[in-house]
Amino acid sequence: MMKRSSFPVATGLYVNYLLFGMFNIMLASHMSFLTEHLHTDQAGISLLVSAMGFGRLFTLYISGVLSDRYGRKPFIVAAGLLMAVFLVGIPLSPSFEMAIVLAVLAGVANSFLDSGTYPALIEAFPQSSGSATVLVRGFISVGAAFLPLMIIFFMNHDIFYGFSFFFPALIFALNAIYLFRMKFPDMRVQSPKELVGDTSVSSVEQAGKLEANDRSKPRFWQEGLCLILLGFTGPTLLYIVQLWLPTFGQQFIGMTESESLRLLVYYNVGSLVSVFVLVIVLRKWVKPVHIILIYPCISLLAFGALLLFKSGAAAIICASVIGFSISGVLQLTLTVMSEFFSQRKGQITGFVYTATSLSYTIIPVFTGFLLKHSQISSVFMLAIIVNVLGIVLAVFVNFRYSLVFPASHKLSPKIVLEPK
């Protein structure tokens, strides 16, 4: 059963991601201030964002491996402190070059946070790991919604813009101290396979060496690879919608600029609703492995309708449904990956989020190329292609799940997992 002793740790972990919701859009939200302070332009600020991405990309895997070896706490605490350094340093940075260094450190902090937090949540709440990881998405959304309000408040009261950096930095630091004093859950958590009668230990390294005729054990080069690819396809859809939905509304449907921007509001409302729905249904009726198939099927219909029905009302409905159906899929993909390969949670977090980072690196360039040489509809046709690929991958993962965990591949009853 879920232990109450895990709630204090989980509280600190979720606070980190509420702050991360602000951290994630901090540079973009202060574009005008930072261009003046750092004597650069919008392209320079984009370079800062890219530096964060590179710092994250090149440390995710190793931080995941080290998290499995040395525990979750050191990396989560270090992440909070590094993010605090970044947030304090950027408004006070004497040069653009120093800001680049701080941005790389912020990317490292991001990789530490992901490789420590997701495994820790799965280990803290093994019977409801899907709900626990999906809640991360909800806290990120809340933080992202709160930051603009804080910025507006400081602007209206003529307060130095840097205080919108300093406030979350202070909480990051205090939360790091809080988590340092907490006792984290045992890393040795039983997997569903162990609880249905198979006591063999599986890992990322072992899975790739299993014999072809043994269909009852996880295979990294089959379902593992498919789940890593889902770590690419899911964020690709997120990025396309968040970046290009307003442009789609203006160029394809004929909306005004303000009307098209409201599509993102409906998208985010759908995303928040999805988080609450998933928290409920994952505890009672369905498993994460089912959601990573059901949700892409819903989003495929919504993307198709968005291209088919050229009206403002249809766009609003489709934007809401897309927000609902692509929110939380990445977190649930990681949860399913942890079920298959329970002994290397940090390592597989690194695998999945490295694919995510590649998506955020490649897709902006590729979609920009498409838009330069074609119409905005081609970008959303790409989304449909990626969506179909995600469905194919999820079908195979569900098939393998039914073989590896035959007694648990049902909507109910739900298996009760406990730490050793």
Side-chain angles (χ1 to χ4, degrees), residues 15-292:
V15 167
N16 270 344
Y17 274 95
L18 187 148
L19 297 170
F20 180 75
M22 294 186 270
F23 169 91
N24 207 29
I25 61 172
M26 190 68 75
L27 295 180
S29 300
H30 291 87
M31 186 79 71
S32 58
F33 296 109
L34 291 174
T35 52
E36 181 179 352
H37 173 71
L38 297 173
H39 307 291
T40 185
D41 53 16
Q42 292 183 345
I45 304 303
S46 297
L47 182 60
L48 286 179
V49 177
S50 297
M52 292 170 62
F54 280 114
R56 183 175 187 267
L57 176 62
F58 289 108
T59 55
L60 262 171
Y61 176 75
I62 187 63
S63 64
V65 173
L66 294 177
S67 171
D68 284 330
R69 178 174 299 179
Y70 298 110
R72 319 306 180 193
K73 181 192 290 189
F75 294 90
I76 295 171
V77 171
L81 295 176
L82 285 174
M83 287 185 174
V85 169
F86 168 79
L87 291 170
V88 171
I90 287 293
L92 303 179
S93 179
S95 66
F96 181 74
E97 290 74 18
M98 177 60 70
I100 287 286
V101 173
L102 290 170
V104 173
L105 287 177
V108 174
N110 190 352
S111 69
F112 283 3
L113 190 67
D114 286 340
S115 60
T117 301
Y118 285 102
L121 286 172
I122 292 169
E123 290 154 2
F125 307 117
Q127 89 172 52
S128 54
S129 56
S131 298
T133 55
V134 163
L135 274 175
V136 168
R137 182 67 233 176
F139 279 93
I140 291 174
S141 298
V142 171
F146 179 73
L147 180 65
L149 300 177
M150 184 167 62
I151 294 172
I152 291 170
F153 174 83
F154 288 149
M155 289 176 62
N156 289 340
H157 291 80
D158 294 322
I159 299 174
F160 174 51
Y161 81 92
F163 279 97
S164 57
F165 285 76
F166 300 154
F167 178 69
L170 176 62
I171 303 177
F172 260 130
L174 292 175
N175 198 47
I177 296 171
Y178 168 80
L179 287 170
F180 179 76
R181 297 169 62 89
M182 289 290 104
K183 181 179 180 181
F184 274 58
D186 192 342
M187 291 170 57
R188 297 167 300 171
V189 179
Q190 284 180 292
S191 69
K193 189 173 181 64
E194 292 170 322
L195 291 170
V196 295
D198 191 325
T199 59
S200 62
V201 176
S202 62
S203 66
V204 173
E205 295 88 358
Q206 291 171 327
K209 301 177 182 179
L210 297 177
E211 294 183 7
N213 61 354
D214 188 351
R215 301 180 62 186
S216 64
K217 297 180 181 179
R219 298 172 181 172
F220 180 72
W221 295 111
Q222 292 187 21
E223 59 267 27
L225 184 59
C226 287
L227 287 162
I228 291 171
L229 291 175
L230 283 170
F232 181 91
T233 59
T236 295
L237 298 180
L238 279 168
Y239 189 90
I240 288 175
V241 173
Q242 291 175 343
L243 185 63
W244 299 115
L245 187 58
T247 304
F248 181 87
Q250 293 178 58
Q251 296 185 6
F252 190 78
I253 300 176
M255 291 179 158
T256 65
E257 183 178 1
S258 60
E259 289 173 340
S260 65
L261 288 173
R262 288 194 184 98
L263 291 178
L264 287 178
V265 175
Y266 294 111
Y267 163 82
N268 284 308
V269 169
S271 179
L272 282 172
V273 171
S274 175
V275 170
F276 292 114
V277 170
L278 287 175
V279 167
I280 295 172
V281 301
L282 287 171
R283 289 177 62 86
K284 295 183 178 181
W285 294 293
V286 298
K287 293 182 178 294
V289 71
H290 301 130
I291 295 295
I292 65 172

